[in-house]
Amino acid sequence: MSISQAIEKVEARYAHQPEFVQAVKEVALTIAPLYDAHPEYKKNKIFERLVEPDRIIAFRINWENDKGEVQVNRGWRVQFSNALGPYKGGVRFHPSVNQSILKFLGFEQIFKNALTGLPMGGGKGGSDFDPKGKTDNDIRRFCYAFMRELHHYVGKDVDVPAGDIGVGSREVSYMFAMYKNLTHEHGGVLTGKGVGFGGSLVRTEATGYGAVYFLENMMAAQNDNIKGKKVLISGAGNVSLHAAEKVFMLGGVPITVSDSKGTLYDEAGLDQQKIDWLKKQKDQNKPLADYVDVYGGEWFAEQKPWQFKGDIAIPSATQNEVNEDDAKLLVENGVKYVVEGANMPLTAKAVDYICLHRVHFAPGKAANAGGVAVSALEMSQNSVRQYKSFDQIDERLKLIMKNIHDSAADASQKYNQTEDGYIDYVAGANIVGFKRVADALCAYGILN
Ligand code: NDP
Ligand code: 2IT
């Protein structure tokens, strides 16, 4: 079966899972040159095998809220591939969570994790639980109940979950406590744990910092740098605020952040004090819009950040937040680099548009791999029971992001996807990630 026939099959079978189909097509459409060079992939039906997860675990979560009311939620863990190591990937708590979203995230995670060069397979989990408006007691009870079900299927050498939207160090620590309580095992079953009982330094910052390190490498490849450049960032969560922080540290000027209520624009740029204020405000579930009363700037309710002039965009909120019209605005507004902090924040048409206009584009599976890379470092620190300093981990993170950048750029060149210095990072990253997984699967024979 050719790749195009395999895509048709996925489209027909999973027409009701649009995000998953979108993620599969993006990979499929770029790996043809690799497939042609490796007839063993076709023979072993590697692509057809990789689009089906090893298994999907679905479960019900009963829990009692602060008011004593019984609540029922749904939970899933998609164990996509453990070809390169234990299943590894985050857990998302958001009312929009469904199998299509978790399958797209799990599929992306296989290749992202492969790109880090560290021994991890790919998986993703989550629940339709909505953390908004919940008390700390509600969150704790829900996390306990979620892990009461999930603990049967995870383990430090089996499947290692972590955070994602709606899940940070607080939630991971509650889930870890329940796992430890049920199994009597204090090990590396989850990453993103609190520092002091197994968590790694830099894990909190890693995704946002890593995305900006990737950007630095992209800019260096164009003899450019971040100093004084205006940066449009969406989201106001873990990824966005740490991306803003690193941009500021490197002399760039972050001028927007956003959330589901609207966009904050500060022409003067976010500095460390303002970013610290934003972190605290979001932690306490308070409105972003209050910023204007403290520091000035403007609040644009129900609007996205792409209407402003800037040099760089780092969409870091959620999937498909940048559509084709937004992509047109980015190009009109002079944006020269787009780095996906979130997973698949650009629609397929938006990617086509910006690439057609030669905007340098880093796909999420390459640019936001810093988070999971430091998760792998957390796993190895847990195994040897020794912990590294902030600077040691940060240096490793920089090196990993440079390696991802360079290997994707080299693959783009090697497979003739680079044109006049314009690097196709989408093709490059997919080729490198896919090849590592495909070679392992071929070596295993037809198990996995
Ligand atoms: P957080 O929960 O910390 O923050 C998410 C932010 O995005 C919030 O500001 C939230 O707004 C906004 N957001 C979420 N959903 C929507 C939506 N449907 N519409 C508008 N805004 C929305 O999550 P993270 O920062 O951890 O994750 C952000 C993205 O980065 C996701 O795509 C995630 O998969 C990806 N990612 C995360 C990694 C990590 O280590 N955490 C690693 C790699 C990728 P509000 O507060 O109003 O809900
Ligand atoms: O999308 C992602 O890479 C994450 N949410 C982080 C996964 C992890 O295991 O650290």
Side-chain angles (χ1 to χ4, degrees), residues 35-68:
Y35 237 72
D36 292 343
H38 290 271
E40 70 275 21
Y41 296 168
K42 190 170 175 185
K43 179 170 165 275
N44 284 297
K45 295 203 164 64
I46 298 297
F47 185 77
E48 290 92 316
R49 284 158 61 184
L50 276 174
V51 295
E52 283 299 330
D54 288 353
R55 65 194 66 78
I56 301 177
I57 298 144
F59 47 93
R60 185 189 65 244
I61 303 134
N62 303 337
W63 60 286
E64 190 180 21
N65 73 9
D66 233 5
K67 298 175 196 141

Side-chain angles (χ1 to χ4, degrees), residues 92 132 164 166 203 207 236-239 259-260 282 316-317 342-343:
R92 178 177 289 191
K132 285 222 178 79
D164 194 79
R203 177 61 191 88
T207 311
N238 172 279
V239 179
D259 67 8
S260 52
K282 284 303 284 184
S316 306
N343 285 308

Side-chain angles (χ1 to χ4, degrees), residues 15 127 147 157 160 163 208 221-222 224 259 278 297 305 326 368 397 416 421 443:
S127 171
M147 186 48 90
D157 296 313
V160 181
Q222 305 302 321
D224 198 356
D259 67 8
L278 287 166
D326 298 324
N368 71 36
L397 174 61
N416 298 320

Side-chain angles (χ1 to χ4, degrees), residues 1-72:
M1 188 187 284
S2 68
I3 292 224
S4 55
Q5 286 166 324
I7 300 178
E8 279 170 24
K9 206 168 147 189
V10 170
E11 278 184 310
R13 181 175 291 165
Y14 296 114
H16 58 294
Q17 297 184 341
E19 293 88 358
F20 175 59
V21 172
Q22 183 184 339
V24 167
K25 278 174 88 172
E26 190 236 75
V27 171
L29 294 171
T30 51
I31 56 169
L34 176 76
Y35 237 72
D36 292 343
H38 290 271
E40 70 275 21
Y41 296 168
K42 190 170 175 185
K43 179 170 165 275
N44 284 297
K45 295 203 164 64
I46 298 297
F47 185 77
E48 290 92 316
R49 284 158 61 184
L50 276 174
V51 295
E52 283 299 330
D54 288 353
R55 65 194 66 78
I56 301 177
I57 298 144
F59 47 93
R60 185 189 65 244
I61 303 134
N62 303 337
W63 60 286
E64 190 180 21
N65 73 9
D66 233 5
K67 298 175 196 141
E69 297 158 349
V70 175
Q71 306 288 306
V72 183

Side-chain angles (χ1 to χ4, degrees), residues 77 85-89 119-120 147 151 153-163 172 175-177 179-180 183-194 197-200 203 372 374-387:
R77 185 74 184 164
Y87 302 105
K88 181 80 195 91
M120 297 178 284
M147 186 48 90
H151 85 278
Y153 313 104
V154 296
K156 66 181 169 45
D157 296 313
V158 179
D159 182 353
V160 181
V172 167
M175 287 191 260
F176 181 66
Y179 184 85
K180 190 167 69 58
T183 62
H184 297 190
E185 192 179 298
H186 193 301
V189 64
L190 286 149
T191 58
K193 302 181 286 294
F197 50 91
S200 175
R203 177 61 191 88
V372 78
V374 174
S375 279
L377 303 182
E378 181 170 330
M379 288 165 73
S380 58
Q381 292 172 90
N382 291 162
S383 294
V384 296
R385 301 186 197 288
Q386 284 179 19
Y387 291 87

